[in-house]
Amino acid sequence: MDKLTAMQVFVAVVDSGSQSAAAEQLDLSRPVVSRYLAELEAWAGARLMHRTTRKLSLTAAGHELLPRCRQLLDLSADMQAAVTLPDRAPQGLLRLTASSSFGQAQLARVVAEFVALYPAVSVDLVLLDRAVNLVEERIDLGVRISNELDPNLIARRLSVCRSVVCAAPSYLEKRGRPQGLEELSQHNCLSHFYYGKSLWTFEREGAPDALASSVNVSVNVKGNVSANDAGALLQAALAGVGVAILPTYLAGEHLRAGRLLALLPDLKPTELSIYAVYASRKNMSTALRVMLDFLAEQFAPEPLWDSH
């Protein structure tokens, strides 16, 4: 537990009169505020507040602890002010997380460039194909590819993630090129565990007289290889195993080199946004601020991997 932050939350709840007001003041979510209060009480070994639906009041232990929390927070602020220079270079440890495929294909290069520019910063790069709880796992910054973000996190949009239906020439020589959506059901389709394992959905341009500019269409697919990592599906596609939907940040160079061929250009897999997400703006380190700006510069709204 970050005891200083827990004390800061406790003081803010007392001063503002409610957990909701304290959450807004500290730029934290309500569940995070509740968790800090519970952890502080567990550490202190006593209940600090009486909570009702109408108001909060301090227990005897809370009255004892409150002034001491204020003193420690003041001391912490004085210590930080004594050693902080306005132009201090970024330094310290940053813990970043991303999916394995995006981390290996794009983020690792950017991190390498960042630490070359700022050698006083160390980066722990945690690549996992699951959503990481930033607070519980002490992650400073996550890169998420999604259109549905956790509302408790602060997000900065970095770029767009497009995908493409593709296959290796060797596979198409054996099985032929699918000419339409329905023909995908007759092919060996390489699928992701969590995204359309048996049902692929696309946007297709609507008819000229249609009210909507595009319509969603789906097809049931099957295949003998699935994985929880897009990088593994890329390798299977390159080996000529089957047809895959792959993000262009991963497949782009292979499409340009002819190792993969794009299929069904009238079908567009759902576009996702690429975000940098973090838990709080409060007490954000210089290193984290600079990293956010650096990522925004490197991953432009129109990504470089789609511009060649």
Side-chain angles (χ1 to χ4, degrees):
M1 177 185 65
D2 183 341
K3 295 185 179 64
L4 279 176
T5 301
M7 292 178 190
Q8 184 182 35
V9 168
F10 174 50
V11 170
V13 170
V14 173
D15 289 347
S16 63
S18 73
Q19 293 187 32
S20 297
E24 183 175 355
Q25 175 187 327
L26 297 174
D27 202 7
L28 297 172
S29 68
R30 172 69 184 274
V32 170
V33 167
S34 297
R35 189 182 311 128
Y36 272 125
L37 287 176
E39 290 178 349
L40 186 63
E41 289 179 331
W43 175 70
R47 190 172 183 82
L48 303 178
M49 309 184 81
H50 297 297
R51 302 171 179 83
T52 68
T53 57
R54 309 192 71 173
K55 68 175 184 177
L56 297 173
S57 60
L58 289 174
T59 64
H63 280 291
E64 288 290 332
L65 195 62
L66 181 62
R68 290 168 175 79
C69 287
R70 295 191 192 277
Q71 290 171 1
L72 286 171
L73 290 171
D74 290 342
L75 179 60
S76 174
D78 289 343
M79 291 171 63
Q80 187 174 28
V83 299
T84 299
L85 298 175
D87 58 348
R88 184 178 65 180
Q91 58 183 311
L93 174 66
L94 284 178
R95 286 175 52 80
L96 273 62
T97 187
S99 69
S100 297
S101 62
F102 188 78
Q104 294 174 15
Q106 302 294 336
L107 187 59
R109 170 188 58 81
V110 174
V111 168
E113 294 176 6
F114 183 85
V115 296
L117 285 173
Y118 303 104
V121 177
S122 299
V123 174
D124 283 352
L125 189 54
V126 182
L127 302 182
L128 296 168
D129 287 296
R130 63 175 174 83
V132 175
N133 186 306
L134 303 188
V135 175
E136 290 182 359
E137 302 193 39
R138 297 182 300 145
I139 299 292
D140 299 296
L141 186 68
V143 176
R144 297 273 169 86
I145 301 177
S146 177
N147 288 336
E148 297 180 3
L149 291 177
D150 184 339
N152 295 321
L153 297 177
I154 302 164
R156 179 170 178 177
R157 191 177 187 277
L158 301 176
S159 193
V160 63
C161 176
R162 301 184 178 96
S163 296
V164 61
V165 184
C166 57
S170 60
Y171 173 83
L172 298 175
E173 288 171 6
K174 292 182 295 183
R175 297 289 302 272
R177 181 187 288 258
Q179 298 300 314
L181 175 73
E182 294 75 14
E183 290 189 21
L184 284 175
S185 63
Q186 306 304 314
H187 282 265
N188 194 45
C189 293
L190 315 175
S191 56
H192 197 286
F193 278 177
Y194 306 122
Y195 307 103
K197 183 172 182 180
S198 60
L199 185 71
W200 285 3
T201 301
F202 305 91
E203 291 181 6
R204 181 160 59 189
E205 293 301 314
D209 58 346
L211 294 177
S213 60
S214 64
V215 293
N216 288 335
V217 292
S218 300
V219 60
N220 290 308
V221 297
K222 59 183 182 298
N224 58 10
V225 174
S226 61
N228 68 336
D229 173 56
L233 298 178
L234 169 66
Q235 295 305 315
L238 289 170
V241 175
V243 178
I245 296 178
L246 295 173
T248 56
Y249 68 72
L250 201 60
E253 63 176 292
H254 302 287
L255 292 166
R256 290 187 288 273
R259 292 185 289 270
L260 293 174
L261 299 178
L263 308 173
L264 304 174
D266 62 322
L267 297 178
K268 186 172 74 171
T270 302
E271 290 187 2
L272 302 173
S273 290
I274 303 175
Y275 294 97
V277 297
Y278 52 104
S280 173
R281 293 189 182 93
K282 191 70 175 179
N283 297 324
M284 184 186 293
S285 69
T286 302
L288 181 53
R289 292 182 188 276
V290 174
M291 174 62 86
L292 274 168
D293 291 338
F294 191 76
L295 291 176
E297 291 172 4
Q298 294 292 313
F299 300 125
E302 185 57 35
L304 292 177
W305 55 78
D306 282 348
S307 62
H308 298 291

